[in-house]
Amino acid sequence: MTILGIETSCDETSAAVIEGDKNTVRMKSNITASSLGLHAETGGIIPESAAREQLKYILPVIKEALQKAFDTPDTLDTLKKIDAIAVTYGPGLIGSLLVGVETAKTFSYVLRKPLIPINHMIGHIYATFIDQTTAIEFPLIALVVSGGHTDLLLMKNHGDFQLLGGTRDDAAGECFDKCARLLGYTYPGGPKISQLALKGDPKAFAFPRPMIGSHDYNFSFSGLKTAFLNTTRQHFSIKKTGWQQVILDNELSKKDEQTVYDLCASLQKAIVDVLVKKTIKAAKEHNVKTILLSGGVSANDLLRETFQNESVNSSLQFFAPPKSLSTDNGAMIASAAFYNYKPVNWKEITADPELYFEPAK
Ligand code: KG4
Ligand code: ZN
């Protein structure tokens, strides 16, 4: 079965074609356009600007995905070879979601092809199944860590999700992003923090590990963000307060540079410690043998390495998507649709910015 996947929940506009057969999904193309450059000046995503950009990108991105998948410039011919269309219908920014959802509905209506609405967070989980050569065995514990969510799930089979816990305040990705913003770096902050952390000492600052020992599977990262702000203040003069405007003095001495590296390394270690400890605990308590990591933060090297090592120590099998599929993409949406094939009439699909772990409407 050949599925066209469309993803526009945040700032990316992505389309992909996958080929699903029995229990495997092969990626034939995955094209993503980002409006990140546009947001560099403001330091964050402006929803309306993102949606306006996505309107420009959506058709060229779909066209390129189809042409690449079938290796032909004849887009009309490629559309005949698609069996179904999958689209993210939530959670996300309403304007952005509408671009993908309305485009997918139009394709479904005009081409008379089945349409499968996909929850973005479930999409992330299915990035790990793409071009996977080792069988992923159920039951498993899935940790989905993105810019807006930190969710821990027990997954007993395809489509069978039990939410064990989530973040009470900021998501792990948001913590990376806001702390990076404090240091003067624009969205996404996670890659920048992890790059600076390479030269830092993770033990330099004793940041808290919020809720690491709590008896539930919830997370909290806002206290860690505040600790990072307070520690940064002890070392640097901060020009303005508030997450949106705070920047450091531009001219850092060598010693100051090292302090920034140490702050980043210590922050990253605190986030990783909490995520790994609680996920392994969930795996043991629910007696599962598999851990599956996904979401944008799963691109983080330290997080992947720590999970890898801790999984070996606990006799667990660890899976994560290739780094190129950790952040938002259309292929994961098409993959989720293949394993959860529940077409819905296009008239009944509406974008849902607040969607959580609910069955598809
Ligand atoms: O899943 P995603 O692409 O978009 C959402 O659904 O939110 O995740 C984006 C998040 C951002 O917070 C970004 O800073 C984080 O993923 N991220 C990382 C890394 N790459 C992306 N965080 C830590 N280390 C990274 N290498
Ligand atoms: Zn995402």
Side-chain angles (χ1 to χ4, degrees):
M1 164 169 284
T2 306
I3 303 179
L4 168 68
I6 299 174
E7 154 62 42
T8 63
S9 66
C10 191
D11 60 307
E12 322 279 16
T13 308
S14 185
V17 176
I18 63 104
E19 183 79 54
D21 181 28
K22 297 196 183 87
N23 214 18
T24 58
V25 159
R26 272 193 324 115
M27 190 169 79
K28 299 189 74 178
S29 66
N30 186 43
I31 306 293
T32 304
S34 173
S35 59
L36 270 186
L38 182 82
H39 309 304
E41 278 175 33
T42 50
I45 296 163
I46 299 194
E48 197 188 302
S49 314
R52 281 175 191 273
E53 287 301 291
Q54 286 167 313
L55 271 178
K56 285 189 225 158
Y57 295 149
I58 187 78
L59 291 179
V61 162
I62 291 175
K63 187 172 167 188
E64 199 179 327
L66 289 167
Q67 291 177 343
K68 188 169 176 215
F70 300 105
D71 198 19
T72 167
D74 185 349
T75 318
L76 282 181
D77 189 49
T78 62
L79 283 169
K80 292 183 200 140
K81 297 178 181 162
I82 294 292
D83 297 309
I85 300 154
V87 66
T88 303
Y89 76 110
L93 304 169
I94 183 63
S96 297
L97 287 168
L98 279 172
V99 174
V101 168
E102 294 308 313
T103 306
K105 282 163 79 169
T106 310
F107 273 71
S108 169
Y109 170 70
V110 173
L111 301 170
R112 297 178 193 279
K113 306 269 183 189
L115 180 56
I116 303 112
I118 296 293
N119 176 328
H120 178 78
M121 306 309 291
I122 291 175
H124 271 302
I125 292 173
Y126 280 93
T128 315
F129 287 79
I130 298 170
D131 293 325
Q132 180 59 255
T133 48
T134 311
I136 299 178
E137 300 205 350
F138 295 106
L140 59 82
I141 293 289
L143 174 69
V144 194
V145 259
S146 72
H149 291 81
T150 306
D151 292 319
L152 201 53
L153 300 137
L154 172 64
M155 203 176 156
K156 290 188 180 151
N157 210 331
H158 291 297
D160 182 347
F161 304 97
Q162 185 190 334
L163 183 66
L164 300 178
T167 185
R168 293 197 168 166
D169 39 57
D170 290 359
E174 202 175 347
C175 185
F176 273 117
D177 294 334
K178 286 180 173 166
C179 292
R181 182 84 194 105
L182 175 72
L183 300 176
Y185 298 107
T186 54
Y187 179 91
K192 193 70 206 175
I193 296 264
S194 65
Q195 186 198 333
L196 297 171
L198 288 174
K199 296 185 197 162
D201 174 6
K203 293 197 183 124
F205 299 102
F207 287 134
R209 269 72 172 152
M211 299 186 76
I212 198 165
S214 71
H215 295 295
D216 54 23
Y217 295 116
N218 289 327
F219 300 91
S220 161
F221 291 103
S222 80
L224 176 56
K225 177 188 74 183
T226 308
F228 186 86
L229 171 66
N230 291 340
T231 310
T232 306
R233 271 202 178 121
Q234 286 163 17
H235 292 269
F236 299 101
S237 55
I238 288 175
K239 288 185 178 161
K240 290 181 192 168
T241 52
W243 288 105
Q244 294 306 310
Q245 291 118 347
V246 175
I247 48 167
L248 288 177
D249 287 333
N250 286 330
E251 289 167 28
L252 297 179
S253 67
K254 270 271 167 282
K255 181 176 162 290
D256 288 342
E257 263 178 33
Q258 190 56 49
T259 307
V260 169
Y261 301 148
D262 290 347
L263 279 165
C264 291
S266 303
L267 173 77
Q268 177 177 251
K269 182 75 167 64
I271 294 175
V272 167
D273 279 356
V274 176
L275 294 175
V276 174
K277 174 114 192 261
K278 296 201 91 156
T279 308
I280 302 266
K281 180 175 167 234
K284 287 185 180 159
E285 286 187 7
H286 287 273
N287 203 22
V288 311
K289 291 277 164 265
T290 310
I291 284 180
L292 195 153
L293 172 69
S294 67
V297 181
S298 73
N300 185 278
D301 286 325
L302 182 71
L303 184 61
R304 295 168 92 97
E305 281 159 24
T306 314
F307 260 122
Q308 189 67 57
N309 295 339
E310 290 300 315
S311 298
V312 171
N313 292 345
S314 302
S315 304
L316 295 164
Q317 263 212 306
F318 169 67
F319 293 93
K323 278 204 255 176
S324 57
L325 295 179
S326 285
T327 46
D328 297 351
N329 64 84
M332 68 189 201
I333 302 304
S335 171
F338 173 71
Y339 288 105
N340 302 271
Y341 191 77
K342 291 185 197 130
V344 174
N345 188 295
W346 65 270
K347 288 183 202 151
E348 287 162 33
I349 299 174
T350 43
D352 183 354
E354 306 297 331
L355 181 71
Y356 206 30
F357 282 96
E358 303 289 333
K361 282 175 199 160

